[in-house]
């Protein structure tokens, strides 16, 4: 593509036709215009007189210039001129695209795709083949794909970003077999590398690319720079986390981390801003134990990427465990009390409570521990038996009291008395523990050499004993036995919980064994055994999806030491033996951050290549503009010709020349290159804006000046427009932004107005304009979007800001939408009005029936409707919906349809003529 400064031509050979312009000029000069007819009776006297000399009148110079200009514009338009195009390659060969499509590319993936598309358009102009290398790869490995520009674009759009890091070393190995030398290399990088080793791999890859062809590095915008959310210690009192970025930018990065339940409900949030000169921040989410155990994931608010998500598995659960003992037992001599050792073992991982059997069962603990010193009545035994059958886990310790009695609340029959190993009156020595069975709850735990057992309670031999042994001593006698009782477990440790009978309570193994036993009721006894399969895949945008077919299982042993890759992608993993339909599936989370070194920055100076930041395209195709100018000039040429032939009335002949000269000068100005005007850039209140708003139906949203809020509003109304086109007779075009300070609000029947806490103040004139708009029949849906920050229907910061903005405006009182309001039946029958967050009360004004036909003009909600409607350029939902998931998103879309239909039809559905049809739909 030849360049001329900032101008290039897709078909430069057609410019050779400009050489013909002088010939066209001469040709037009010798062709005079058609003569005008004038009826003059005396002319008959001249008939018959021979005309010796005939002279043709010349074409006016301005008409000659006009037609020459038309020819020049057509030639230039057909040559494909492009203003400030994407740089092409100056030599033959394919175009090599290296795309970092790992988790770091997910936040800015749509904008990265736009940048790739601009490069591929340039490749299509030059008819170049494309070599595509995705550095994250797939389970099949990295592949260098030879394809066309159109297929490369489709491939990137189809697969999207991966949920694991890129592998630049594998990319370097893939390029080793490259046969055709590329003409140019475009590297679309995520701008990060895992640790110094990752930086070194990026530098090596850049050296290899520079050896192939000139390299251009494209990096994401500052706001799209990836972040990494890392989990803290799962055993900490709160949900600890840290957030890191690759480089300090000098500007503070405000962030908020959310704790979400299984269906997306926001259970807690905490701000964790990164200082301008810092690269990381940390925080702790404090939750009651019941809410903490419902948390499924932590994520950074407003971000879309697997790196900004931490999946919460059983390691984070803090169960409630009861100990049957008086509250003050062991306070005088704690080291002699069994409860002291049990509490120290379970305290970091569970909420431990003491009390009587009845009180503990009433608190619904996950497990109850019964020391040997505790005494049970027949009523306590019956209560414990019923609680076990309903899913409880009873962990009982043996001792002198159990050895001397005959207690039926044991998993296996016991012999009377106890067995002593070691001492002056026995030949037997203390025994060590045997390795744990691979299919039991203690599978995978290492047996320490310094743990010995000196006394134990023996079980009676029987056929059921073998299956009941969960742990044994070196001679095969049971140390821990257990048996299922319907949905629960009854477990007996055949030794005491204090060091009087064994060294076990003094070891770390005692802690691990108690943790495994208290988790038996939730199926975690299979946690570390066998192999694990992928249960739910964490995609690049940070959403859970079904795993791809053919994904291989991985050993459970050492699962915590692996890293997220294409072969072991992030997500929830579960034992192979379980089925997806099981209600109790022990899950192990694999996050992107697991075993990943700290992020380091990758930029142009480090790699030694030119650096480009992703941004809006400055490329402008001039061909359509030139064709339009040529067409208008041709119309003027037609008018001018008709005037010269006398087909149009003119009082003076000189007016023709003046009009023609003015037309040429005006159209020369029109033909000058310029950028297409956009609706947002048109002058406020001009005719073009009015025509654009009224010729077709458009939804409108109020511009707040806050980029994040405005982008979400635009995406939300675009999604709602798609729903309206699919389901109703309303066919809205692209939504328009509205500036309440300058635009004419009367052009729009409905305005969507987001009101965040940081909404800027309005001028007094703007407030009065809003009041006039409402009094004249306009409707505004105010959305404070602060439902996740408040409890029940209390006013949030957005509602307070709304009240402050319009404090001086005389607005009517608001009331909740009742069952008879037309808003609940204008299209769909709606029992409530959810948005991105759970349904909150929707408030409306109630004007008198003689005012605006009784139609409400103000609707106020807090559920973030635009967040539920928002879609990207491919129609994919942008944000999760909580707590109802996709079902709630569907209801939110119906709310949007009802609001639009209510704004367009008013109280139409409240007319009595529709009562029979509505009753029929309600089944009445």
């Amino acid at each position: 593509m030849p360049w001329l400064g900032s101008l290039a031509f897709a078909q430069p050979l057609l410019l050779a036709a400009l050489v013909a312009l002088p010939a066209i000029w001469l040709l037009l000069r010798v062709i005079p215009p058609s003569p005008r007819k004038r009826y003059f009776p005396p002319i008959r006297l001249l008939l018959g007189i021979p005309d010796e000399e005939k002279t043709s009148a010349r074409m006016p110079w301005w008409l000659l210039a006009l037609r020459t200009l038309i020819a020049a514009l057509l030639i230039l338009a057909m040559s494909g001129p492009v203003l400030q195009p994407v740089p092409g390659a100056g030599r033959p060969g394919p175009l090599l695209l290296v795309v970092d499509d790992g988790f770091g590319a997910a936040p800015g993936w749509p904008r990265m795709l736009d940048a790739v598309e601009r490069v591929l358009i340039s490749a299509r102009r030059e008819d170049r083949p494309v070599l595509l290398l995705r550095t994250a790869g797939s389970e099949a490995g990295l592949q260098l794909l030879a394809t066309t520009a159109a297929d490369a674009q489709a491939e990137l759009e189809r697969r999207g970003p991966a949920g694991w890091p890129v592998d630049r070393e594998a990319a370097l190995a893939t390029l080793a077999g490259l046969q055709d030398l590329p003409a140019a290399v475009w590297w679309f990088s995520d701008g990060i590398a895992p640790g110094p080793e990752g930086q070194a791999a990026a530098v090596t890859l850049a050296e290899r690319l520079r050896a192939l062809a000139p390299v251009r590095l494209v990096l994401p915008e500052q706001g799209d720079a990836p972040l990494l959310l890392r989990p803290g210690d799962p055993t900490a009192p709160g949900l600890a986390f840290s957030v890191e970025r690759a480089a300090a930018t000098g500007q503070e990065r405000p962030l908020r981390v959310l704790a979400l339940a299984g269906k997306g409900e926001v259970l807690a949030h905490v701000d964790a801003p990164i200082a301008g000169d810092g690269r990381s921040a940390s925080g702790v989410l404090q939750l009651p134990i019941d809410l903490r155990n419902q948390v499924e994931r932590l994520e950074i608010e407003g971000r879309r990427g697997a790196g900004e998500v931490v999946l919460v598995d059983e390691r984070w659960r803090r169960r409630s465990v009861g100990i049957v003992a008086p509250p003050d037992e062991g306070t005088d001599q704690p080291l002699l009390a069994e409860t002291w050792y049990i509490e120290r073992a379970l305290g970091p991982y569970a909420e431990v409570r003491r009390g009587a059997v009845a009180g503990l069962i009433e608190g619904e603990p996950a497990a109850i521990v019964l020391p040997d010193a505790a005494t049970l009545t027949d009523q306590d035994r019956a209560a414990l038996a019923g609680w076990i059958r309903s899913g409880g886990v009873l962990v009982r310790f043996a001792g002198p009291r159990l050895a001397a009695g005959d207690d039926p609340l044991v998993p296996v029959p016991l012999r009377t008395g106890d067995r002593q190993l070691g001492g002056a009156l026995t030949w037997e020595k203390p025994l060590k523990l045997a390795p744990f069975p691979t299919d039991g709850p203690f599978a995978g735990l290492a047996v320490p050499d310094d743990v010995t057992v000196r006394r134990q309670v023996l079980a009676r031999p029987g056929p059921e004993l073998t299956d009941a042994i969960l742990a044994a001593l070196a001679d095969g006698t049971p140390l821990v036995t257990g048996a299922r009782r319907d949905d629960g477990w009854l477990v007996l440790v055949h030794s005491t919980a204090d060091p009087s009978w064994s060294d076990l309570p003094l070891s770390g193994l005692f802690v691990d064994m108690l943790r495994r036993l208290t988790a038996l009721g939730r199926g975690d006894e299979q946690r570390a055994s066998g192999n694990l399969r992928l249960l739910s895949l964490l995609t690049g945008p940070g959403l859970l999806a079904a795993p791809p077919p053919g994904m291989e299982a991985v050993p459970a042993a050492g699962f915590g030491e692996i890293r997220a890759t294409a072969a072991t992608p992030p997500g929830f993993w579960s034992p192979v033996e379980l089925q997806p339909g099981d209600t109790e599936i022990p899950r192990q989370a694999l996050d992107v951050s697991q075993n990943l070194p700290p992020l380091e920055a990758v930029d142009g100076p480090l790699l030694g290549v030119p650096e480009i930041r992703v941004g809006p395209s400055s490329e402008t195709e001039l061909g359509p503009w030139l064709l339009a100018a040529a067409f208008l000039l041709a119309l003027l040429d037609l008018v001018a010709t008709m005037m010269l032939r006398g087909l149009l009335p003119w009082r003076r002949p000189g007016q023709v020349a003046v009009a023609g000269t003015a037309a040429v000068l005006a159209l020369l100005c029109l033909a000058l290159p310029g950028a297409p005007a956009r609706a947002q850039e048109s002058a406020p209140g001009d005719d073009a804006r009015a025509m654009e708003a009224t010729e077709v139906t458009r939804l409108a949203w109020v511009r707040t000046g806050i980029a994040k809020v405005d982008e979400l509003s635009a995406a939300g109304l675009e999604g709602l427009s798609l729903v309206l086109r699919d389901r109703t007779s309303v066919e809205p075009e692209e939504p328009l932004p509205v500036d309440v300070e300058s635009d004419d609000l009367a052009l729009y029947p409905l305005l969507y107005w987001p009101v965040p806490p940081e909404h800027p103040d309005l001028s007094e004139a703007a407030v009065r304009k809003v009041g006039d708009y409402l009094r004249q029949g306009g409707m505004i849906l105010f959305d404070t979007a602060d439902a996740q920050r408040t409890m029940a229907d209390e006013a949030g910061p957005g509602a307070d800001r709304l009240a402050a903005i319009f404090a001086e405006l005389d607005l009517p009182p608001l009331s909740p939408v009742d069952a008879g309001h037309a808003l609940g039946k204008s299209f769909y029958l709606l029992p409530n009005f959810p948005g991105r967050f759970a349904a909150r009360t929707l408030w409306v004004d109630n004007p008198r029936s003689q005012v605006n036909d009784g139609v409400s003009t103000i609707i106020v909600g807090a559920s973030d409707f635009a967040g539920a409607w928002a879609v990207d350029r491919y129609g994919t939902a942008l944000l999760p919906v909580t707590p109802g998931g996709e079902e709630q998103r569907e209801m939110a879309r119906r709310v949007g349809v009802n609001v639009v239909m209510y704004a367009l039809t008013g109280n139409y559905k409240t007319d009595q003529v529709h009562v029979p049809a509505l009753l029929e739909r309600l089944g009445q």
Side-chain angles (χ1 to χ4, degrees):
M1 180 185 293
W3 284 62
L4 184 62
S6 61
L7 183 66
F9 297 91
Q11 303 293 334
L13 295 180
L14 292 177
L15 294 176
L18 293 174
V19 180
L21 286 179
I24 295 174
W25 176 279
L26 294 175
L27 182 62
L28 293 175
R29 288 194 63 183
V30 301
I31 301 177
S34 300
R36 290 180 294 171
K37 294 181 179 181
R38 290 289 184 267
Y39 295 95
F40 183 59
I43 201 69
R44 297 183 62 87
L45 299 175
L46 302 178
L47 294 177
I49 300 177
D51 187 5
E52 301 295 337
E53 182 178 356
K54 297 181 180 180
T55 304
S56 300
R58 292 183 177 181
M59 179 182 293
W61 73 267
W62 54 267
L63 186 59
L64 180 62
L66 179 64
R67 292 178 176 176
T68 306
L69 179 60
I70 293 175
L73 290 177
L74 290 174
I75 294 172
L76 290 173
M78 299 306 293
S79 65
V82 181
L83 186 64
Q84 296 181 346
V86 174
R91 60 184 186 181
L95 185 68
L96 176 58
L97 293 185
V98 180
V99 181
D100 288 345
D101 59 334
F103 77 92
W109 185 251
R111 284 166 288 280
M112 186 71 77
L113 276 184
D114 291 339
V116 173
E117 184 178 11
R118 294 195 291 268
V119 174
L120 292 177
I121 288 175
S122 176
R124 282 199 296 269
R125 292 196 191 106
E126 300 176 350
D127 196 23
R128 290 184 184 273
V130 174
L131 299 175
L132 177 61
L133 177 60
R134 301 167 61 108
T135 57
S138 63
E139 57 274 8
L142 270 65
Q143 296 179 347
L144 186 62
L145 180 63
T147 181
T148 63
D151 291 342
Q153 180 74 16
E155 170 70 10
L156 291 171
E157 292 178 354
R158 180 180 65 86
R159 295 190 57 181
W164 49 86
V166 300
D167 190 347
R168 296 192 173 102
E169 294 180 354
L172 184 64
T174 304
L175 291 174
L178 182 62
Q179 301 295 330
D180 298 331
L181 194 64
V185 178
W186 285 85
W187 184 359
F188 294 89
S189 175
D190 55 14
I192 59 172
E197 294 183 359
Q199 274 188 322
V203 172
T204 305
L205 178 59
E207 293 174 353
R208 170 60 177 161
L209 294 176
R210 288 202 307 270
L212 296 175
V215 181
R216 295 181 179 90
L217 179 70
V218 182
L219 295 174
E221 292 179 330
Q222 206 62 251
D224 292 333
L227 303 171
L228 189 62
L229 183 63
R230 294 183 183 271
D233 183 5
T235 64
L239 298 175
F241 64 87
S242 63
V243 186
E244 68 180 55
R245 59 183 176 182
T249 61
Q251 296 180 348
E252 182 179 354
R253 184 75 179 270
L255 296 173
R256 171 171 290 179
V257 177
L258 308 178
L260 304 178
K263 293 185 178 181
E265 308 97 316
V266 179
L267 301 179
H269 62 79
V270 64
D271 293 327
I274 302 179
D277 57 350
R279 292 180 51 187
S280 64
S282 60
V284 178
L285 287 155
Q286 299 290 351
L287 285 165
I289 185 170
D290 294 339
L291 291 180
R292 171 177 172 142
N293 292 340
Q294 297 178 31
V295 176
E296 292 284 342
R297 57 192 280 154
L298 307 180
E299 67 176 36
I300 301 176
E301 184 181 27
R303 302 283 296 182
R304 297 190 66 199
E308 285 94 347
V309 173
V310 167
L311 299 177
V312 177
D313 59 14
E314 295 298 324
R315 295 172 299 169
W316 298 71
R317 304 286 187 259
R318 289 181 64 86
R319 293 175 174 81
S320 175
V321 178
I323 302 177
V324 181
D328 57 349
E329 182 183 77
T331 55
D332 296 334
Q333 294 179 316
L335 297 180
L336 300 180
E338 293 179 286
T339 54
W340 190 87
Y341 297 93
I342 297 173
E343 287 180 342
R344 292 301 181 277
L346 292 176
Y349 311 102
E351 182 186 31
V352 181
R353 292 178 292 182
R354 294 190 188 189
V357 171
L360 293 176
I361 293 177
E362 186 177 352
E364 298 182 355
I368 293 179
V369 180
L370 181 62
D372 182 66
T375 58
L376 297 179
T377 63
D378 292 339
Q379 186 177 2
D380 291 337
R381 292 186 180 91
L384 285 172
W387 174 76
I388 294 172
R389 287 192 297 270
S390 63
V393 178
L394 177 64
V395 180
R396 186 168 188 177
F397 285 90
R401 187 184 297 272
L402 183 62
D406 185 13
D407 197 323
L409 193 62
V410 289
V412 294
L414 302 177
R415 289 182 175 179
T416 304
D418 61 274
R419 175 193 183 193
Q420 294 195 19
L421 302 170
L425 301 178
T426 178
W427 293 96
E428 295 179 296
K429 295 182 179 180
L431 294 176
K432 297 182 179 181
L433 276 63
F436 296 114
T438 56
D439 57 349
F442 308 128
L445 295 181
V447 177
D449 293 334
D450 56 348
V451 173
T452 58
V453 176
R454 296 180 294 276
R455 295 178 68 177
Q456 68 176 139
V457 173
L458 292 175
R460 294 180 186 175
E464 72 281 357
L465 180 59
T466 302
D467 294 335
I469 296 178
L470 305 181
L473 298 181
D475 63 351
T477 55
L479 176 63
V480 181
T481 56
R484 279 262 187 198
R485 294 290 189 267
D486 293 338
D487 294 334
W489 277 86
L490 175 58
V491 179
L492 174 64
V493 180
H494 292 238
S495 186
T496 59
D498 59 24
S500 60
W501 282 25
S502 72
D503 299 328
L504 182 61
L506 301 177
S507 67
L509 179 63
F510 184 69
V511 177
D512 294 332
M513 291 177 67
L514 276 184
R515 288 187 63 191
R516 297 285 184 91
L517 290 176
T518 55
L520 278 178
R522 299 181 181 268
D524 284 352
E525 66 275 11
Q526 304 185 48
R527 160 175 289 279
S529 61
N531 295 326
L532 300 177
R533 63 178 176 85
L534 184 60
L535 183 67
S536 299
L537 172 69
L538 184 64
T539 63
L543 303 175
L544 289 175
M551 182 65 64
E552 295 184 0
V554 299
F559 185 78
E561 283 71 42
I562 66 174
R563 185 186 296 184
T565 62
T568 56
F572 282 118
W573 294 71
S574 67
V576 173
E577 292 76 11
L578 298 180
Q579 301 299 320
D582 292 345
T583 57
E584 296 181 353
I585 301 179
R587 301 179 302 177
Q588 290 186 255
L590 175 58
D591 298 313
V592 176
S593 61
Q594 180 169 308
N595 300 314
L596 191 70
L599 298 182
E600 300 292 342
V602 172
D603 53 17
L606 175 70
L607 304 180
V609 296
E611 176 183 306
I612 303 172
R613 289 285 175 179
V614 172
S617 175
S618 59
E619 180 177 290
T620 304
E621 294 188 5
L622 301 180
W625 288 96
L626 297 178
L627 286 175
F631 176 73
L632 294 176
L633 288 174
L635 291 179
L636 287 179
D637 179 87
L638 177 62
V639 173
T641 303
M642 295 176 67
M643 289 190 301
L644 290 175
R645 296 184 62 183
L647 300 179
L648 295 178
W650 287 88
R651 295 181 179 179
R652 298 178 182 177
Q655 290 179 340
V656 179
V658 174
T661 304
V664 172
L665 295 177
L667 288 171
L668 281 174
C669 296
L670 179 64
L672 293 176
R678 299 181 181 178
Q680 295 91 322
E681 297 170 354
S682 57
D686 62 6
D687 293 340
R689 174 79 175 192
M691 292 295 293
E692 187 176 15
T694 56
E695 283 182 342
V696 295
T697 302
R698 293 181 186 271
L699 303 181
W701 49 276
V702 175
R703 185 188 289 118
T704 64
I706 304 171
K708 180 179 178 181
V709 176
D710 292 343
E711 290 176 2
L712 185 61
S713 298
L717 292 195
E718 178 63 33
L720 182 57
S721 298
L722 292 175
V723 174
L724 288 168
R725 286 195 289 268
D726 289 342
R727 307 183 186 184
T728 71
S729 59
V730 182
E731 297 185 357
E733 297 295 327
E734 181 181 359
L736 290 177
V738 172
D739 189 341
V740 294
E741 298 283 351
S742 56
D743 288 341
D744 186 1
L745 305 183
L747 299 174
Y748 310 97
L750 172 68
L751 296 178
Y752 175 79
W753 195 331
V755 187
E758 58 273 18
H759 192 292
D761 292 330
L762 299 180
S763 65
E764 295 183 2
V767 173
R768 287 195 300 270
K769 181 192 288 189
V770 173
D772 294 340
Y773 169 74
L774 293 174
R775 283 188 291 272
Q776 294 167 3
M779 184 180 299
I780 302 179
L781 170 58
F782 292 103
D783 189 356
T784 60
D786 52 6
Q788 84 280 16
R789 307 186 186 185
T790 61
M791 301 296 291
D793 280 323
E794 63 184 24
D800 295 338
R801 184 61 184 144
L802 176 62
I805 292 175
F806 296 105
E808 302 300 325
L809 190 62
D810 184 18
L811 295 176
L814 303 180
S815 61
V817 174
D818 55 29
H821 199 279
L823 194 58
K825 52 190 175 183
S826 58
F827 193 84
Y828 291 104
L829 297 177
L830 299 178
N832 49 41
F833 302 90
R836 183 187 172 201
F837 305 108
R840 292 292 179 89
T841 300
L842 203 64
W843 299 82
V844 296
D845 65 316
N846 291 307
R848 298 186 301 274
S849 59
Q850 60 268 29
V851 178
N852 196 28
D853 197 25
V855 176
S856 301
T857 59
I858 299 175
I859 307 173
V860 180
S863 299
D864 191 7
F865 298 109
W869 303 333
V871 296
D872 59 16
R873 58 184 295 189
Y874 310 110
T876 305
L878 287 176
L879 300 176
V881 174
T882 62
E886 292 307 310
E887 293 184 5
Q888 181 176 324
R889 190 188 304 279
E890 169 60 24
M891 295 304 297
R893 288 169 175 166
R894 295 186 179 188
V895 171
V897 172
N898 273 30
V899 171
V900 173
M901 299 304 289
Y902 181 61
L904 297 178
T905 64
N907 286 328
Y908 160 75
K909 278 299 179 73
T910 60
D911 294 343
Q912 290 296 315
V913 69
H914 299 286
V915 171
L918 293 175
L919 292 177
E920 182 180 354
R921 290 180 61 186
L922 291 172
Q924 301 178 6

